[in-house]
């Protein structure tokens, strides 16, 4: 792998310990994946933020990096294990909160913008078409590659941090044109609507891709999709299929750049959607927790929730998970007041996947297929998917 | 017997080998406190990897595994070196941040548990003593 003199100097320690360790990580990854060189990144999004996942070891690594490490490009964080302001109300214990703040402080010392969100593209960490970035959150990676047409591999926590500190990433995988071709043709033969339905579609396609051992679907037959529907689809297809890139004819920017695949056809109709939806509804579920905002709720979704909750009272634990800046907009617009008056709670900076809530509830209702997966696997809840309207109806029942 | 490979992270150590044909997930599959493999049903379940040359085909599982390896180095429960057939991102990054000598592209069929082996990751070879 060819390194520039600046990159070699980083590797030799001339820019300090953190830059050296970072370049060691990136050049080793470059060698492993046969990258010819590094490419400059314009932005980074780091995963491995929740203390629940990092533990004391991860924190120690971050503290060491923070001794002389400073980020060179715009960098934000994935959700943390708690709302940084509202954690007590959400039942997070004091020790966890202390440790979570130590993690975030270490990132802050490195110059990271400590906004904790899985939707960086909604809150100002938003690349342009064709730009190279190093992002770690799987749903955001999928959104950036597919919907925006930016370029990133699926990074882990340490490699994303290494890119933030050096401003570089090895040029392989999804950074290169030749690896961005659609591999599987998906024909959708019915109309789709809503975050839940797009999530169900993501599960069907994701499961099928795993069966086929392929990664990049080329989807035709979808006539319209909102930002919210696409973010839900990205989260789901990334969770179930490990997908980091898809093309959607008429919707995503690179669909006509690459040929439509002629083999590996998957057809999806209304019946397939119904069957897949039923797999995301557990038998005899007793819902005691409702959560909307996986991926983080947009201001449009929060406005909608406030409209639906106006003058109502929720009878179950109800979280709206979102990015802190989006919450601030909701505060200013008066949506937060309406929502909180109804008894629902904001959980900014965090989400129902990474918060330490394993076993705390029996059944969770969501509008997200990704949240169903982690609700079952990580938190041992029974799950039920529905529209945002269904979720609200369940909460006020 | 000298086996050629590719350097992932530098270092030279000699230690006893512990070999498995199964993948290893450091997150959840290894206990960083005791240095033992804890994945239920794993060929090496219950065995300690502390101070040994850990030989396995490739890593698997969550990216948090890189941090587990770092924790093992801090706890003095880490393996002395890692030899893989084909490195994966999690183990590569784990070795780099934890400073565990690591080499891949080695034909691991030639290494048996209990053998003394020299890992020269810096120069990219393994020697079975």
């Amino acid at each position: 792998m060819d390194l520039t003199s600046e990159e070699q100097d980083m590797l030799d320690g001339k820019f300090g310990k953190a830059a050296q360790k970072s370049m060691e990580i990136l050049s080793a990854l470059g060698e492993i994946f046969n990258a010819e060189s590094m490419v400059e990144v314009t932005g980074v999004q780091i995963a491995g933020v929740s203390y629940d996942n990092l533990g004391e070891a991860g924190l120690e690594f971050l503290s060491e990096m923070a001794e002389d490490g400073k980020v060179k490009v715009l960098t934000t964080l994935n959700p943390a294990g708690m709302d940084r302001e509202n954690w007590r109300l959400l039942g997070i214990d004091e020790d966890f909160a202390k440790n979570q703040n130590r993690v975030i402080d270490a990132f802050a010392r490195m110059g990271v913008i400590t906004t904790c969100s899985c939707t960086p593209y909604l809150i100002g960490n938003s690349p342009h078409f064709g730009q190279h970035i190093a992002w770690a959150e799987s749903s955001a990676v999928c959104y950036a590659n597919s919907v925006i047409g930016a370029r990133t591999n699926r990074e882990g926590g340490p490699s994303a941090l290494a890119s933030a500190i050096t401003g570089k990433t090895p040029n392989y995988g999804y950074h290169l044109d030749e690896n961005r071709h659609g591999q599987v043709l998906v024909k959708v033969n019915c109309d789709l609507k809503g975050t839940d339905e797009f999530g169900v579609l993501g599960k069907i396609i994701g499961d099928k891709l795993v069966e086929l051992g392929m990664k990049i679907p080329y989807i035709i037959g979808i006539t319209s999709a909102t930002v919210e529907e696409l973010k839900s689809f990205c989260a789901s297809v990334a969770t179930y299929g490990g997908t980091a890139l898809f093309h959607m004819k008429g919707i995503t920017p690179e669909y006509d750049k690459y040929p439509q695949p002629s083999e590996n056809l998957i057809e999806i109709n209304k019946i397939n959607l119904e069957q897949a939806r039923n797999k995301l509804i557990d038998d005899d579920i007793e819902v005691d927790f409702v959560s909307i905002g996986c991926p983080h709720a947009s201001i449009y979704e929060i406005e909608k929730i406030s409209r639906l909750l106006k003058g109502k009272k929720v009878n179950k634990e109800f979280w709206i998970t979102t990015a802190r800046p989006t919450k601030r907009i909701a505060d200013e617009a008066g949506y937060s007041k309406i929502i909180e008056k109804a008894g629902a709670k904001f959980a900014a900076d965090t989400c129902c996947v990474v918060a330490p809530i394993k076993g705390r509830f029996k059944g969770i209702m969501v509008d997200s297929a990704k949240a169903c997966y982690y609700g079952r696997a990580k938190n041992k809840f029974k799950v039920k998917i529905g529209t945002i309207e269904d979720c609200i109806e369940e909460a006020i029942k | 017997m000298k086996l050629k490979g590719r350097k992932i992270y530098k270092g030279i150590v000699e230690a006893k080998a512990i070999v498995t044909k199964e993948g290893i997930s450091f997150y959840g599959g290894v206990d960083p406190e005791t240095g033992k493999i804890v994945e239920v049903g794993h060929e090496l379940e219950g065995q300690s990897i502390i101070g040994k040359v850990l030989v396995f085909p490739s890593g698997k599982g969550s990216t948090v595994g890189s941090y587990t390896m770092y924790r093992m180095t801090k706890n003095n429960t880490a393996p002395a070196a890692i030899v893989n057939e084909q490195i994966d991102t999690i183990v590569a990054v784990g070795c780099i941040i934890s400073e565990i000598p690591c080499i891949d592209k080695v034909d691991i069929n030639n290494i048996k548990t209990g053998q003394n082996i020299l890992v020269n990751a810096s120069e990219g070879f393994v020697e079975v003593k």
Side-chain angles (χ1 to χ4, degrees):
Chain A
M1 185 178 186
D2 288 331
L3 296 182
T4 63
S5 57
E6 189 201 23
E7 289 158 6
Q8 189 62 49
D9 285 348
M10 285 182 183
L11 193 58
D12 294 339
K14 289 182 192 161
F15 288 87
K17 262 173 44 191
Q20 181 175 29
K21 185 62 63 186
S22 298
M23 195 46 83
E24 278 177 0
I25 293 172
L26 299 176
S27 59
L29 291 176
E31 294 287 343
I32 293 165
F33 294 109
N34 298 317
E36 286 175 6
S37 61
M38 297 284 174
V39 61
E40 290 197 11
V41 295
T42 54
V44 171
Q45 192 253 2
I46 297 176
V49 178
S50 174
Y51 183 79
D52 204 25
N53 288 334
L54 276 172
E56 205 52 32
L59 175 56
E60 202 173 318
F61 172 74
L62 295 174
S63 305
E64 256 179 45
M65 292 295 271
E67 280 171 20
D68 69 348
K70 280 276 176 288
V71 303
K72 286 181 83 169
V73 294
L74 176 69
T75 304
T76 58
L77 297 174
N78 220 23
M82 62 177 199
D83 184 305
R84 297 188 68 195
E85 295 173 8
N86 201 18
W87 54 270
R88 277 178 212 276
L89 187 69
L90 300 172
I92 304 294
D93 76 60
E94 190 102 28
D95 275 347
F96 183 88
K98 213 171 86 195
N99 287 325
Q100 184 61 71
N101 280 327
R102 286 165 66 214
V103 171
I104 291 167
D105 290 346
F107 282 120
R109 288 200 294 281
M110 291 186 264
V112 174
I113 295 170
T114 55
T115 296
C116 304
S117 178
C118 51
T119 58
Y121 49 87
L122 291 181
I123 46 121
N125 188 356
S126 39
H128 183 52
F129 178 85
Q131 282 185 324
H132 297 276
I133 55 175
W135 282 13
E137 153 60 28
S138 65
S139 72
V141 163
C142 188
Y143 192 96
N145 273 325
S146 316
V147 181
I148 299 172
R151 293 173 177 227
T152 177
N153 288 316
R154 276 162 69 107
E155 302 295 342
S159 64
L161 177 61
S163 285
I165 288 174
T166 59
K168 314 271 181 160
T169 192
N171 197 13
Y172 71 95
Y174 295 108
H175 291 283
L176 303 173
D177 277 350
E178 68 226 47
N179 300 318
R180 296 176 68 90
H181 289 241
Q183 300 165 322
V184 176
L185 181 64
V186 181
K187 214 172 144 201
V188 180
N189 297 321
C190 52
D191 287 333
L192 289 181
K193 206 174 172 343
T195 44
D196 57 320
E197 203 150 66
F198 272 80
V200 170
L201 177 71
K203 175 176 159 51
I204 299 175
I205 296 174
D207 285 344
K208 207 75 195 171
L209 289 170
V210 170
E211 254 174 57
L212 292 168
M214 303 217 176
K215 290 284 184 206
I216 310 176
Y218 187 107
I219 303 157
I220 60 172
I222 291 180
T223 48
S224 74
T226 64
V227 164
E228 288 75 15
E229 287 164 344
L230 287 167
K231 87 174 154 69
S232 180
F233 175 76
C234 287
S236 178
V237 78
T239 295
Y240 293 95
T243 291
L245 169 66
F246 64 87
H247 301 295
M248 201 179 265
K249 192 172 181 181
I251 308 276
T252 62
E254 287 186 305
Y255 80 88
D256 57 354
K257 185 171 173 176
Y258 305 107
Q260 188 171 305
S262 50
E263 42 193 18
N264 300 315
L265 175 72
I266 302 172
E267 291 208 57
I268 295 170
N269 51 41
K270 225 34 200 193
I271 296 164
N272 304 123
L273 282 171
E274 275 320 301
Q275 286 168 341
R277 173 185 293 274
N278 287 335
K279 286 189 192 151
L280 296 176
I281 301 172
D282 283 323
D283 293 340
D284 59 50
I285 177 175
E286 191 188 315
V287 176
D288 56 354
F289 182 32
V290 179
S291 186
I292 297 175
C294 172
H296 272 170
S298 68
I299 191 63
Y300 173 80
E301 288 172 311
I302 294 174
E303 185 276 333
K304 181 172 177 178
I305 295 164
S306 79
R307 213 169 350 108
L308 293 165
L309 276 179
K310 193 166 187 178
K312 309 262 171 47
K313 258 290 172 262
V314 304
N315 295 308
K316 298 181 172 95
E317 184 81 1
F318 188 162
W319 289 10
I320 293 136
T321 59
T322 191
R324 176 76 47 198
T326 311
K327 163 76 166 45
R328 295 231 164 89
I329 300 173
D331 291 348
E332 279 172 21
Y335 307 147
S336 306
K337 215 175 196 169
I338 296 168
I339 288 168
E340 281 165 352
K341 204 170 165 203
K345 297 171 185 170
F346 276 94
D349 319 309
T350 187
C351 74
C352 66
V353 172
V354 296
I357 51 172
K358 182 178 174 180
R360 204 167 112 190
F361 304 101
K362 289 200 280 287
I364 185 173
M365 180 150 185
V366 291
D367 69 326
S368 155
K370 173 178 181 171
C372 288
Y373 178 89
Y374 286 100
R376 281 174 177 154
K378 183 166 182 280
N379 289 326
K380 311 296 170 202
F381 303 151
K382 289 200 168 179
V383 304
K384 182 177 181 182
I385 196 168
T387 62
I388 287 189
E389 287 83 353
D390 296 337
C391 288
I392 301 230
E393 207 169 291
E394 179 70 46
I396 60 180
K397 211 158 67 179
Chain B
M1 184 178 32
K2 207 166 163 176
L3 305 166
K4 275 180 69 89
R6 171 177 73 165
K7 173 185 98 173
I8 301 296
Y9 188 75
K10 63 179 185 243
I12 305 169
V13 290
E14 192 178 327
K16 281 209 185 319
I18 182 165
V19 186
T20 173
K21 294 282 150 61
E22 295 177 8
I24 289 182
S25 165
F26 277 88
Y27 181 65
V30 181
D31 183 346
E33 301 303 319
T34 63
K36 285 183 179 163
I37 306 276
V38 292
E39 183 183 330
V40 177
H42 196 283
E43 209 182 349
L44 296 182
E45 188 183 349
Q47 296 197 46
S48 168
I49 58 173
I50 300 174
K52 292 178 184 157
V53 175
L54 181 60
V55 183
F56 59 102
S58 196
K60 58 176 187 180
S62 160
T63 56
V64 180
S66 305
Y67 287 123
T68 309
M69 295 172 73
Y70 184 81
R71 188 164 157 193
M72 295 179 80
T73 294
K74 294 287 165 183
N75 285 346
N76 297 315
T77 58
I82 286 178
V83 177
N84 274 180
E85 258 167 19
Q86 177 61 47
I87 194 82
D88 79 306
T89 321
I90 303 160
V91 173
V93 172
C95 286
I96 296 163
I97 66 177
S98 324
E99 304 187 343
I100 299 170
C102 178
I103 179 169
D104 84 331
K105 304 248 184 239
V106 173
D107 184 357
I108 65 171
N109 294 313
N110 293 311
I111 309 173
K112 306 271 174 291
T113 294
Q115 282 175 332
N116 253 332
I117 68 169
L118 171 77
V119 177
N120 186 333
S122 303
E123 291 178 39
F125 69 85
V126 172
E127 203 176 335
V128 181
K129 294 274 176 175

